[in-house]
Amino acid sequence: MATSQKPRVVVSRSLGPDVMPLLTGRGDIEVDMWPHDDSCDRTWLLEHAKGASGILVMVTDKVDAELLDIAGPALRVVSTMSVGYEHFDTSELSERGVRMGYTPDVLTDAVADLTVMLALMAGRNAGHTFSLVQSGQWPRLHWSPFAFCGPQLSTTSTSPERTVGFLGFGRISQATLTRLVAFGVNHCIYSSRSSSSPSEAQTSRDSALLERLPTLQSLTPVSMDTLAKQSDLLIVLAPGGPETYHLIDEPFLKKMKKNAVLVNAARGTLVDSDALAKALKEGWIWGAGLDVVEGEPNVPGNHPLVNEPRCVTLPHIGSATIEARIGMATLAVNNLLGGVLGQVMPAELTV
């Protein structure tokens, strides 16, 4: 551990050759970095946090009273390389006057791309059919006219209407909608914290979206009940936390269309996993595409959703593009430096 009088920062994971030089190449700070290519050891983090001016963490690192007590009064900022901050005890940080940084916006396009991919995979039985090929069963399959068919995302001359529903309608939802319009999606409904009484700003935003997407015929805030009943494709992109816990539950799923596809690229806690497994098994909805699952990463091979043929499950890779991760790491570093040096942080979290 460095003993210089320069401000010292602790980094819980290497940010790679493109980004680490933004810290290590400076002469005005000292850098302590977890030296291994795996999750930072909690004991190491606590030991090196003592007297640090700034700490840069991953979403797997818990920032709580224990860490803050050990860091002491020199700590000015904690920066996370994530848009989510459930691992922060925000009340403790605020009470101590420690600034908080996070990484919104830079992962918007990556997550939107993956959301559309999950919608296509779930509707077209990609998970199940891929597993058949991988397990060598293709030669034994007998062709039939409607084998492995699923609902088509794009519109056709005989099926000219598609309604996408969003639970949460922030930046990523809007970017996803822009992509889906190219498939012929012509109606969008959404439910969010304020959709029951849209503000003037939201109304103006929706009008601008309709103007920018001329083939989109409608964009409407609706109730949760309407969201369930009218969505051909339902996409979950709302924040996690107690307020949104299990918003997608058994009563909600029972109201959905039989051919509907559910995609969750937000937080696993929004969807009741047992209810979703039951809905898929009993045919209440067609399929599901999940980048997140409640309790992750502790999702064993015998998990009911992993074993469900019409459920495609990925290990939370929404932001896993080279471009997005470099952008996130760079923003996390700039937030860290801004906090340590008493300057503007590009993405400061205020709660």
Side-chain angles (χ1 to χ4, degrees):
M1 192 185 303
T3 57
S4 167
Q5 293 304 307
K6 298 174 184 178
R8 183 172 58 84
V9 299
V10 177
V11 182
S12 72
R13 197 74 178 262
S14 171
L15 303 175
D18 293 296
V19 181
M20 280 307 300
L22 298 177
L23 289 173
T24 57
R26 298 179 65 99
D28 55 349
I29 60 171
E30 297 287 345
V31 180
D32 283 339
M33 184 188 75
W34 170 246
H36 307 293
D37 189 22
D38 56 12
S39 296
C40 182
D41 178 73
R42 177 73 173 179
T43 301
W44 183 96
L45 183 60
L46 292 174
E47 178 186 346
H48 285 74
K50 296 175 184 176
S53 297
I55 303 175
L56 193 156
V57 299
M58 305 294 114
V59 72
T60 50
D61 301 311
K62 193 173 183 180
V63 179
D64 55 10
E66 180 188 33
L67 178 65
L68 299 175
D69 284 342
I70 289 176
L75 187 64
R76 301 172 192 168
V77 61
V78 177
S79 175
T80 181
M81 187 182 149
S82 63
V83 67
Y85 50 90
E86 291 90 345
H87 53 305
F88 278 12
D89 187 328
T90 55
S91 60
E92 286 282 350
L93 285 156
S94 297
E95 186 178 316
R96 299 162 193 255
V98 177
R99 298 170 74 183
M100 296 171 270
Y102 70 136
T103 60
D105 298 330
V106 288
L107 49 69
T108 296
D109 289 321
V111 178
D113 289 350
L114 180 117
T115 300
V116 175
M117 182 183 82
L118 282 170
L120 289 165
M121 291 181 73
R124 297 298 298 273
N125 298 303
H128 180 47
T129 51
F130 179 77
S131 69
L132 292 175
V133 175
Q134 288 290 96
S135 62
Q137 297 182 58
W138 191 1
R140 298 192 295 275
L141 296 178
H142 297 287
W143 184 90
S144 65
F146 293 97
F148 306 123
C149 288
Q152 186 166 315
L153 178 60
S154 56
T155 53
T156 69
S157 59
T158 56
S159 181
E161 302 287 324
R162 290 291 183 278
T163 297
V164 60
F166 289 96
L167 178 55
F169 199 61
R171 294 177 295 267
I172 299 174
S173 292
Q174 293 164 46
T176 303
L177 174 62
T178 300
R179 288 155 171 74
L180 290 172
V181 165
F183 287 86
V185 168
N186 41 25
H187 299 284
C188 176
I189 57 178
Y190 67 88
S191 183
S192 60
R193 290 175 181 173
S194 52
S195 58
S196 57
S197 54
S199 66
E200 185 176 335
Q202 288 172 304
T203 302
S204 175
R205 174 204 65 192
D206 291 357
S207 297
L209 277 169
L210 284 167
E211 186 175 346
R212 184 165 60 85
L213 304 170
T215 59
L216 186 65
Q217 297 174 23
S218 65
L219 175 57
T220 312
V222 298
S223 66
M224 288 290 289
D225 186 70
T226 301
L227 188 73
K229 292 177 178 177
Q230 293 188 5
S231 298
D232 297 308
L233 168 63
L234 176 63
I235 297 174
V236 180
L237 283 168
E243 292 182 2
T244 57
Y245 180 75
H246 284 189
L247 280 179
I248 308 299
D249 56 10
E250 186 167 319
F252 184 97
L253 291 162
K254 282 185 173 179
K255 296 173 186 174
M256 291 180 67
K257 297 180 180 181
K258 297 285 187 186
N259 278 352
V261 168
L262 170 72
V263 171
N264 185 6
R267 290 292 182 267
T269 53
L270 278 85
V271 178
D272 182 336
S273 293
D274 291 336
L276 178 57
K278 185 176 180 182
L280 292 167
K281 190 175 185 64
E282 298 186 5
W284 306 347
I285 65 173
W286 179 266
L290 309 175
D291 188 42
V292 290
V293 179
E294 188 172 12
E296 64 179 69
N298 299 313
V299 180
N302 61 355
H303 190 285
L305 289 174
V306 174
N307 284 327
E308 175 51 52
R310 288 190 179 176
C311 185
V312 177
T313 305
L314 301 178
H316 204 155
I317 59 169
S319 66
T321 67
I322 296 167
E323 294 83 355
R325 292 288 170 87
I326 289 176
M328 292 169 69
T330 302
L331 182 53
V333 165
N334 289 333
N335 282 333
L336 181 73
L337 292 172
V340 167
L341 301 175
Q343 299 170 356
V344 173
M345 293 168 58
E348 184 168 3
L349 177 64
T350 54
V351 292

